[in-house]
Amino acid sequence: LSNQAEVTNSSIWAGAYQILLKAGYKDVLESILLSKTYKKYLLNCPDEVFFYKDKVRVTQIEKFFECPYAHFVDYGISPREKDGAGPQAVDIGNIIHLVLERFGKLYMAGKITSDNLESMVVSIFDNIIASKQFSHLVYNTSSQNFFQVLKLEAIRACKAVDYQLLHGQDKLKYLEASFGSSGFAAIPNVTIEGKRPIAVVGKIDRADSWGNRIRLIDYKTSRLSGKFSLPNLYLGKKIQLFYYLSILRDDLSIQPGGAYYMPVHREYSTENGKSTSFKLDGVSLFNESNMFAQDDQVNFEHPSSDILKFEISVSAENKKNGCYKINKKAGTWATEKQFDALLSYAQDILRGAINDLWNGEIRPLPISGACSYCKYRCLCKWGTNKLMQERKSNFSITMNDFYEEKADEV
């Protein structure tokens, strides 16, 4: 029966299914259905769809890990979304990113001071809004308040960047740098056996350096993108920064100091009475010199960093001995070996995703929660097929799990 075309829709199948189900063959029946469903979601000629000009983006791979079917619709079908009446989320993200990029370039050129910062950001913002790129945005009375709020958010974000760089030894090194650009890492290639090489392209928002250490920072303007978590890294949804760091390590011999996401949106939550807006969130190298280089204000009177998740213990013994001891519970930490394992893991899992794309994988297989904001859930009819399950992301995992997994391979 399982080999007959459209057998699942026939009356014969329905009767046979019920007989076999009552006879205790539920597992066999489900494997038959799963096999038919799996074959339904395999794409022919996937290289022509997913590897345009033999390239793939790291952000594209992250989308694949979030859900192969949503990735297929985004990058295979590429439907054009109907223009909304006002600014869309993508417009907000593009505007903020452009403001931060142009602000950063002026900062690196020494043209930003505490006295002119706000006026410079206002000028940058107004020039961007007036550019051809955003000519589709209607600037009228109803949208005026929105643009004013967005401008204030841009000012706050630039002040946060200034604050981060003023109170540490890290200096701005790269802005919107792409693999293959001058002074940056070369474009890496991934070759699956029997297949032609695929170039992995990507661009970093910002990189700060201190000595031979570098921290990468990715600006996030949407709450939907989610905060960093080790499970999301393990599932492939948050590999971008770690893959970039691995290429910088391998190609330029630069060592990682941290991989962070910087939220650039209004936050109403607080931490110790202070806003958590713009605080860097991610993985830090567990090294005292590295951490104090990122925030030189941390001391017994000011034990918690305003820049990233980092604090010191203020026990009486530590104060008496004048010993600064990092509180491991505040933040996500990795030793040198653990960080190296994270970078290697990012390379391995990206390679695995490219292999899956070569095989035409487009099944609806979302990470838990992804369907709640997916634009394509009406296309895959998620929820109607009981054999499809979400991949849970609320499991427990530690830094040692990545290191031990890599050690097992050796």
Side-chain angles (χ1 to χ4, degrees), residues 348-364:
D348 292 343
I349 197 172
L350 180 136
R351 181 183 178 83
I354 291 177
N355 184 62
D356 287 344
L357 289 174
W358 269 113
N359 292 329
E361 175 66 77
I362 61 170
R363 279 181 296 171

Side-chain angles (χ1 to χ4, degrees), residues 5 78 146 163 185 207 303 373:
S78 302
F146 168 81
Y163 186 87
Y373 57 83

Side-chain angles (χ1 to χ4, degrees), residues 91 127-139 147:
D91 296 316
N127 286 334
I128 289 172
I129 292 298
S131 67
K132 184 178 180 180
Q133 181 178 351
F134 299 101
S135 59
H136 63 284
L137 299 180
V138 179
Y139 194 84
F147 284 112

Side-chain angles (χ1 to χ4, degrees), residues 188-243:
N189 288 284
V190 173
T191 303
I192 303 299
E193 185 176 356
K195 308 292 184 181
R196 63 184 183 274
I198 299 299
V200 181
V201 295
K203 178 188 290 186
I204 63 167
D205 287 343
R206 173 179 143 208
D208 303 333
S209 66
W210 166 67
N212 197 41
R213 297 277 177 198
I214 197 163
R215 67 179 180 190
L216 296 190
I217 297 171
D218 190 45
Y219 301 128
K220 291 296 182 185
T221 57
S222 170
R223 291 178 178 84
L224 294 180
S225 58
K227 295 183 178 181
F228 174 79
S229 70
L230 283 179
N232 276 336
L233 169 59
Y234 186 80
L235 292 170
K237 188 180 176 182
K238 295 288 185 183
I239 63 168
Q240 181 183 17
L241 294 177
F242 300 90
Y243 184 77

Side-chain angles (χ1 to χ4, degrees), residues 301-317:
E301 285 69 42
H302 187 79
S304 296
S305 171
D306 299 324
I307 295 174
L308 69 165
K309 293 182 178 180
F310 161 46
E311 68 178 41
I312 59 171
S313 170
V314 290
S315 67
E317 182 180 355

Side-chain angles (χ1 to χ4, degrees), residues 41-61:
Y41 289 108
L42 286 179
L43 185 68
N44 292 324
C45 305
D47 55 317
E48 297 177 10
V49 177
F50 297 135
F51 303 134
Y52 179 67
K53 293 185 178 180
D54 292 342
K55 294 179 181 179
V56 68
R57 295 184 177 278
V58 181
T59 50
Q60 178 183 342
I61 296 297

